[in-house]
Amino acid sequence: MMPRWTSDHRILLYAPNVHTGGGFVLLQDFLDAWPTDKPLVAWLDARAKDRVVLPQGNTKIEWIDATLASRAHAEFSLRATGQEKDAILCFHGLPPVLKNKARILIYQQNKNYLGIIPLSQFPQRTRYRLRFEQMVCKILRHRVDSYIVQTPSMERAVRNWYGGGGTDVVIFPFAPPIIKNTNIEKKWDFVYIADGEAHKNHRTLIDAWIILAKAGLRPSLMLTLSDRDYSLRQWVEEKSAAHGLNIKNLGQLPHVEIMTVYHQAAALIFPSKNE
């Protein structure tokens, strides 16, 4: 479902740093639903360039590299493009740093930006980045016309974080339909689709599997840790070998394969501390 607007209104899609994980999946779902008769004006992360599928029709895309210079250029480009009748949908959860004539809509799905998740679990460099992003969210929140969230719990979190005066928070979940396939054979007892960020809590999950193994229980567990999670992958392999755990890591998978893996699982498990 897409927002309604007239011919002289535009939705400008601003999505730097959205290039992997659930954020990228939701971005692709959003692009798949884009009306073919409406031009798409978007700023997208260059790291997703070889995977993102753009809608057919009139598209104007500015690709943003993972550099400070490229991000700054995108901010100036966004400010020059936005007009009073436009709305900027910030898909990455942060408001633009530069003031804009257009209405600002924030698609907020990241609790880390709200300062309600302890940052001690993250590496030092990530903590510094998140503190800066939290500061941007807080200082510039008065420029935001509306926050868009997917669940009532996230709506409450945004309202509590925003503080006095209140703000407009809209619950607007969207996702493609999931077709259940009962003909696929179950291969895994449990599946955890997640990268190796600290808050995903893989180490506690593996500790639980060790406790089960000591009790003579060895359920199968499938993980999706990528090369970027090398140290965690190595730790999981060492623990699996030492305790005879039934764990398989398939690495990072494209979304279409993930849907198949879901059907192959007897159960999904979510040890993440804040999701």
Side-chain angles (χ1 to χ4, degrees):
M1 183 176 181
M2 296 291 298
R4 295 179 180 178
W5 67 95
T6 60
S7 58
D8 59 345
H9 288 69
R10 295 183 302 173
I11 298 289
L12 307 180
L13 178 60
Y14 192 52
N17 207 37
V18 181
H19 63 98
T20 188
F24 176 76
V25 172
L26 290 171
L27 174 63
Q28 186 61 68
D29 292 340
F30 186 82
L31 293 172
D32 290 343
W34 192 269
T36 56
D37 61 333
K38 299 295 182 184
L40 172 66
V41 181
W43 290 256
L44 304 179
D45 196 293
R47 290 168 290 185
K49 192 173 183 178
D50 61 340
R51 292 177 292 116
V52 67
V53 180
L54 299 173
Q56 297 294 322
N58 184 12
T59 61
K60 181 181 178 182
I61 310 298
E62 181 171 323
W63 297 102
I64 308 172
D65 295 321
T67 65
L68 184 60
S70 185
R71 289 291 294 268
H73 182 272
E75 285 276 346
F76 281 102
S77 174
L78 184 68
R79 185 176 69 171
T81 304
Q83 301 299 318
E84 290 184 359
K85 291 184 177 181
D86 298 333
I88 298 172
L89 176 57
C90 299
F91 213 84
H92 61 314
L94 295 171
V97 174
L98 300 180
K99 195 171 183 180
N100 205 292
K101 296 178 183 177
R103 296 178 64 241
I104 304 299
L105 312 178
I106 301 291
Y107 176 60
Q108 190 55 268
Q109 57 171 326
N110 193 340
K111 286 187 176 181
N112 292 323
Y113 291 164
L114 307 183
I116 57 179
I117 303 299
L119 300 184
S120 57
Q121 57 191 307
F122 294 98
Q124 187 179 55
R125 184 176 179 181
T126 303
R127 290 201 301 270
Y128 289 151
R129 174 179 59 81
L130 286 173
R131 287 194 181 104
F132 173 77
E133 291 169 339
Q134 288 175 356
M135 180 180 67
V136 170
C137 281
K138 198 74 172 180
I139 293 176
L140 302 182
R141 68 190 188 278
H142 66 281
R143 295 183 184 174
V144 178
D145 294 279
S146 185
Y147 289 91
I148 302 171
V149 299
Q150 294 201 83
T151 64
S153 63
M154 194 61 176
E155 178 197 20
R156 292 192 297 272
V158 171
R159 291 190 185 281
N160 291 335
W161 163 84
Y162 193 90
T167 185
D168 183 38
V169 184
V170 180
I171 301 175
F172 191 82
F174 65 94
I178 297 177
I179 302 174
K180 187 173 182 180
N181 189 337
T182 58
N183 297 321
I184 297 180
E185 181 182 359
K186 302 300 181 184
K187 294 180 61 177
W188 319 100
D189 294 320
F190 294 90
V191 165
Y192 186 31
I193 307 293
D195 60 22
E197 292 286 350
H199 68 282
K200 300 294 186 178
N201 210 20
H202 281 85
R203 293 180 184 271
T204 300
L205 176 62
I206 303 307
D207 287 342
W209 248 241
I210 293 173
I211 293 173
L212 290 174
K214 290 179 179 178
L217 302 172
R218 288 178 168 80
S220 60
L221 171 65
M222 196 281 286
L223 304 176
T224 58
L225 298 174
S226 68
D227 293 338
R228 188 176 59 180
D229 309 311
Y230 175 77
S231 60
L232 178 60
R233 286 177 57 171
Q234 190 175 39
W235 181 83
V236 171
E237 291 171 3
E238 291 172 355
K239 293 296 183 181
S240 296
H243 298 277
L245 307 182
N246 188 4
I247 298 177
K248 176 71 173 180
N249 179 51
L250 297 184
Q252 187 175 4
L253 301 174
H255 183 59
V256 62
E257 293 185 26
I258 288 175
M259 299 309 294
T260 299
V261 168
Y262 279 151
H263 285 123
Q264 293 173 335
L268 309 181
I269 191 165
F270 298 98
S272 176
K273 295 180 179 179
N274 66 329
E275 296 170 308

Short mmCIF file of all heavy atoms in Angstrom, two decimals, residues 101-132:
data_model
loop_
_atom_site.label_atom_id
_atom_site.label_comp_id
_atom_site.label_asym_id
_atom_site.label_seq_id
_atom_site.Cartn_x
_atom_site.Cartn_y
_atom_site.Cartn_z
N LYS A 101 12.76 22.37 2.64
CA LYS A 101 11.43 22.94 2.45
C LYS A 101 10.34 21.87 2.53
O LYS A 101 9.19 22.16 2.89
CB LYS A 101 11.34 23.63 1.09
CG LYS A 101 12.27 24.83 0.91
CD LYS A 101 12.12 25.39 -0.49
CE LYS A 101 13.09 26.54 -0.75
NZ LYS A 101 12.98 27.03 -2.15
N ALA A 102 10.68 20.65 2.18
CA ALA A 102 9.69 19.57 2.12
C ALA A 102 9.32 19.08 3.51
O ALA A 102 10.04 19.31 4.49
CB ALA A 102 10.24 18.42 1.27
N ARG A 103 8.18 18.38 3.59
CA ARG A 103 7.79 17.72 4.84
C ARG A 103 8.74 16.55 5.08
O ARG A 103 9.17 15.87 4.15
CB ARG A 103 6.35 17.21 4.76
CG ARG A 103 5.32 18.32 4.60
CD ARG A 103 3.92 17.75 4.48
NE ARG A 103 3.52 17.04 5.69
CZ ARG A 103 3.22 15.75 5.74
NH1 ARG A 103 3.29 15.00 4.65
NH2 ARG A 103 2.84 15.19 6.87
N ILE A 104 9.04 16.28 6.33
CA ILE A 104 9.97 15.21 6.69
C ILE A 104 9.20 14.07 7.35
O ILE A 104 8.56 14.25 8.38
CB ILE A 104 11.07 15.72 7.65
CG1 ILE A 104 11.81 16.92 7.04
CG2 ILE A 104 12.04 14.59 7.98
CD1 ILE A 104 12.51 16.62 5.74
N LEU A 105 9.28 12.91 6.73
CA LEU A 105 8.68 11.69 7.27
C LEU A 105 9.82 10.73 7.62
O LEU A 105 10.67 10.45 6.78
CB LEU A 105 7.75 11.03 6.25
CG LEU A 105 6.73 11.93 5.55
CD1 LEU A 105 5.93 11.11 4.53
CD2 LEU A 105 5.79 12.58 6.56
N ILE A 106 9.82 10.21 8.83
CA ILE A 106 10.86 9.28 9.26
C ILE A 106 10.26 7.89 9.40
O ILE A 106 9.32 7.68 10.18
CB ILE A 106 11.47 9.71 10.62
CG1 ILE A 106 12.07 11.11 10.53
CG2 ILE A 106 12.51 8.69 11.06
CD1 ILE A 106 13.29 11.20 9.67
N TYR A 107 10.80 6.94 8.65
CA TYR A 107 10.42 5.54 8.85
C TYR A 107 11.34 4.98 9.93
O TYR A 107 12.52 4.73 9.69
CB TYR A 107 10.56 4.76 7.54
CG TYR A 107 10.27 3.29 7.70
CD1 TYR A 107 9.02 2.86 8.14
CD2 TYR A 107 11.23 2.33 7.43
CE1 TYR A 107 8.74 1.52 8.31
CE2 TYR A 107 10.97 0.99 7.59
CZ TYR A 107 9.73 0.58 8.04
OH TYR A 107 9.46 -0.75 8.22
N GLN A 108 10.80 4.83 11.14
CA GLN A 108 11.64 4.48 12.29
C GLN A 108 11.45 3.02 12.67
O GLN A 108 10.39 2.62 13.13
CB GLN A 108 11.31 5.38 13.48
CG GLN A 108 12.29 5.26 14.63
CD GLN A 108 13.73 5.50 14.19
OE1 GLN A 108 14.43 4.56 13.84
NE2 GLN A 108 14.15 6.77 14.17
N GLN A 109 12.51 2.23 12.50
CA GLN A 109 12.46 0.83 12.90
C GLN A 109 13.67 0.47 13.76
O GLN A 109 13.85 -0.69 14.14
CB GLN A 109 12.44 -0.07 11.66
CG GLN A 109 13.63 0.15 10.73
CD GLN A 109 13.71 -0.89 9.64
OE1 GLN A 109 13.35 -2.05 9.86
NE2 GLN A 109 14.15 -0.49 8.47
N ASN A 110 14.52 1.45 14.07
CA ASN A 110 15.77 1.20 14.78
C ASN A 110 15.71 1.75 16.20
O ASN A 110 15.83 2.96 16.41
CB ASN A 110 16.93 1.84 14.00
CG ASN A 110 18.28 1.36 14.50
OD1 ASN A 110 18.40 0.86 15.62
ND2 ASN A 110 19.29 1.49 13.66
N LYS A 111 15.55 0.88 17.18
CA LYS A 111 15.48 1.31 18.57
C LYS A 111 16.80 1.88 19.07
O LYS A 111 16.84 2.61 20.06
CB LYS A 111 15.04 0.15 19.46
CG LYS A 111 13.57 -0.20 19.35
CD LYS A 111 13.18 -1.24 20.38
CE LYS A 111 11.67 -1.52 20.32
NZ LYS A 111 11.27 -2.53 21.33
N ASN A 112 17.90 1.54 18.40
CA ASN A 112 19.20 2.08 18.82
C ASN A 112 19.22 3.60 18.73
O ASN A 112 19.92 4.27 19.50
CB ASN A 112 20.32 1.51 17.95
CG ASN A 112 20.52 0.03 18.18
OD1 ASN A 112 20.41 -0.45 19.30
ND2 ASN A 112 20.83 -0.71 17.12
N TYR A 113 18.46 4.17 17.80
CA TYR A 113 18.43 5.62 17.65
C TYR A 113 17.68 6.31 18.78
O TYR A 113 17.82 7.51 18.97
CB TYR A 113 17.79 6.00 16.31
CG TYR A 113 18.61 5.64 15.09
CD1 TYR A 113 18.01 5.60 13.83
CD2 TYR A 113 19.95 5.34 15.19
CE1 TYR A 113 18.75 5.27 12.70
CE2 TYR A 113 20.70 5.00 14.07
CZ TYR A 113 20.09 4.97 12.83
OH TYR A 113 20.82 4.64 11.73
N LEU A 114 16.87 5.55 19.50
CA LEU A 114 16.04 6.14 20.55
C LEU A 114 16.73 6.13 21.91
O LEU A 114 16.16 6.62 22.89
CB LEU A 114 14.70 5.40 20.63
CG LEU A 114 13.92 5.27 19.31
CD1 LEU A 114 12.59 4.57 19.56
CD2 LEU A 114 13.72 6.63 18.67
N GLY A 115 17.92 5.57 21.99
CA GLY A 115 18.68 5.59 23.23
C GLY A 115 18.12 4.70 24.32
O GLY A 115 18.41 4.91 25.50
N ILE A 116 17.34 3.69 23.96
CA ILE A 116 16.74 2.82 24.98
C ILE A 116 17.43 1.45 25.03
O ILE A 116 17.05 0.60 25.82
CB ILE A 116 15.24 2.63 24.73
CG1 ILE A 116 14.97 2.07 23.32
CG2 ILE A 116 14.51 3.93 24.91
CD1 ILE A 116 13.49 1.85 23.03
N ILE A 117 18.45 1.28 24.17
CA ILE A 117 19.23 0.05 24.17
C ILE A 117 20.65 0.38 24.63
O ILE A 117 21.29 1.28 24.09
CB ILE A 117 19.28 -0.57 22.75
CG1 ILE A 117 17.86 -0.83 22.23
CG2 ILE A 117 20.10 -1.84 22.75
CD1 ILE A 117 17.07 -1.80 23.07
N PRO A 118 21.18 -0.31 25.64
CA PRO A 118 22.55 -0.03 26.11
C PRO A 118 23.56 -0.23 24.97
O PRO A 118 23.51 -1.22 24.24
CB PRO A 118 22.76 -1.08 27.21
CG PRO A 118 21.39 -1.47 27.65
CD PRO A 118 20.52 -1.38 26.43
N LEU A 119 24.46 0.72 24.83
CA LEU A 119 25.44 0.66 23.75
C LEU A 119 26.69 -0.11 24.14
O LEU A 119 27.58 -0.31 23.31
CB LEU A 119 25.82 2.07 23.31
CG LEU A 119 24.69 2.96 22.77
CD1 LEU A 119 25.24 4.28 22.29
CD2 LEU A 119 23.93 2.24 21.66
N SER A 120 26.78 -0.54 25.39
CA SER A 120 27.98 -1.24 25.85
C SER A 120 28.21 -2.55 25.11
O SER A 120 29.34 -3.06 25.07
CB SER A 120 27.88 -1.50 27.36
OG SER A 120 26.70 -2.26 27.65
N GLN A 121 27.16 -3.11 24.50
CA GLN A 121 27.28 -4.38 23.81
C GLN A 121 27.92 -4.23 22.43
O GLN A 121 28.27 -5.23 21.79
CB GLN A 121 25.90 -5.01 23.65
CG GLN A 121 24.91 -4.12 22.91
CD GLN A 121 23.48 -4.62 22.99
OE1 GLN A 121 23.22 -5.77 22.67
NE2 GLN A 121 22.57 -3.78 23.42
N PHE A 122 28.08 -2.99 21.96
CA PHE A 122 28.62 -2.75 20.62
C PHE A 122 30.11 -2.46 20.68
O PHE A 122 30.62 -1.97 21.69
CB PHE A 122 27.90 -1.56 19.97
CG PHE A 122 26.45 -1.80 19.68
CD1 PHE A 122 25.46 -1.35 20.54
CD2 PHE A 122 26.07 -2.48 18.53
CE1 PHE A 122 24.12 -1.57 20.27
CE2 PHE A 122 24.73 -2.70 18.26
CZ PHE A 122 23.76 -2.26 19.12
N PRO A 123 30.83 -2.72 19.56
CA PRO A 123 32.24 -2.32 19.48
C PRO A 123 32.37 -0.80 19.63
O PRO A 123 31.42 -0.06 19.38
CB PRO A 123 32.65 -2.78 18.08
CG PRO A 123 31.67 -3.82 17.69
CD PRO A 123 30.39 -3.45 18.37
N GLN A 124 33.56 -0.35 20.03
CA GLN A 124 33.77 1.07 20.34
C GLN A 124 33.41 1.97 19.16
O GLN A 124 32.75 3.00 19.33
CB GLN A 124 35.21 1.31 20.76
CG GLN A 124 35.47 2.73 21.25
CD GLN A 124 36.91 2.92 21.70
OE1 GLN A 124 37.84 2.66 20.95
NE2 GLN A 124 37.10 3.35 22.94
N ARG A 125 33.85 1.61 17.96
CA ARG A 125 33.57 2.45 16.79
C ARG A 125 32.08 2.55 16.52
O ARG A 125 31.57 3.64 16.20
CB ARG A 125 34.28 1.85 15.56
CG ARG A 125 34.13 2.69 14.30
CD ARG A 125 34.93 2.09 13.17
NE ARG A 125 34.77 2.86 11.95
CZ ARG A 125 35.36 2.55 10.80
NH1 ARG A 125 36.16 1.50 10.72
NH2 ARG A 125 35.15 3.30 9.72
N THR A 126 31.37 1.44 16.70
CA THR A 126 29.92 1.46 16.51
C THR A 126 29.24 2.31 17.57
O THR A 126 28.27 3.03 17.28
CB THR A 126 29.36 0.03 16.55
OG1 THR A 126 30.02 -0.78 15.55
CG2 THR A 126 27.86 0.01 16.26
N ARG A 127 29.75 2.25 18.80
CA ARG A 127 29.17 3.08 19.87
C ARG A 127 29.28 4.56 19.56
O ARG A 127 28.33 5.32 19.75
CB ARG A 127 29.86 2.78 21.21
CG ARG A 127 29.56 1.42 21.80
CD ARG A 127 29.83 1.39 23.29
NE ARG A 127 31.22 1.71 23.61
CZ ARG A 127 32.19 0.83 23.71
NH1 ARG A 127 31.93 -0.45 23.48
NH2 ARG A 127 33.41 1.20 24.04
N TYR A 128 30.44 4.98 19.06
CA TYR A 128 30.63 6.40 18.71
C TYR A 128 29.65 6.81 17.61
O TYR A 128 29.06 7.90 17.67
CB TYR A 128 32.05 6.63 18.25
CG TYR A 128 33.08 6.56 19.36
CD1 TYR A 128 34.39 6.16 19.09
CD2 TYR A 128 32.75 6.88 20.67
CE1 TYR A 128 35.34 6.08 20.11
CE2 TYR A 128 33.69 6.79 21.68
CZ TYR A 128 34.98 6.40 21.40
OH TYR A 128 35.91 6.33 22.40
N ARG A 129 29.49 5.94 16.61
CA ARG A 129 28.57 6.26 15.51
C ARG A 129 27.14 6.37 16.01
O ARG A 129 26.41 7.30 15.64
CB ARG A 129 28.68 5.21 14.41
CG ARG A 129 27.66 5.40 13.28
CD ARG A 129 27.82 4.36 12.19
NE ARG A 129 27.66 3.00 12.68
CZ ARG A 129 26.48 2.41 12.89
NH1 ARG A 129 25.35 3.08 12.69
NH2 ARG A 129 26.42 1.16 13.32
N LEU A 130 26.74 5.41 16.84
CA LEU A 130 25.36 5.42 17.34
C LEU A 130 25.09 6.62 18.24
O LEU A 130 23.99 7.19 18.20
CB LEU A 130 25.07 4.12 18.09
CG LEU A 130 24.88 2.87 17.22
CD1 LEU A 130 24.77 1.63 18.09
CD2 LEU A 130 23.64 3.02 16.34
N ARG A 131 26.06 7.01 19.04
CA ARG A 131 25.87 8.20 19.88
C ARG A 131 25.67 9.45 19.03
O ARG A 131 24.84 10.31 19.36
CB ARG A 131 27.07 8.37 20.82
CG ARG A 131 27.12 7.35 21.95
CD ARG A 131 28.10 7.75 23.03
NE ARG A 131 28.16 6.75 24.09
CZ ARG A 131 29.15 5.89 24.25
NH1 ARG A 131 30.16 5.90 23.40
NH2 ARG A 131 29.13 5.01 25.22
N PHE A 132 26.44 9.55 17.96
CA PHE A 132 26.27 10.69 17.06
C PHE A 132 24.88 10.66 16.41
O PHE A 132 24.20 11.68 16.33
CB PHE A 132 27.35 10.68 15.98
CG PHE A 132 27.15 11.71 14.91
CD1 PHE A 132 27.45 13.04 15.16
CD2 PHE A 132 26.65 11.36 13.66
CE1 PHE A 132 27.26 14.01 14.18
CE2 PHE A 132 26.46 12.32 12.67
CZ PHE A 132 26.76 13.65 12.93
#
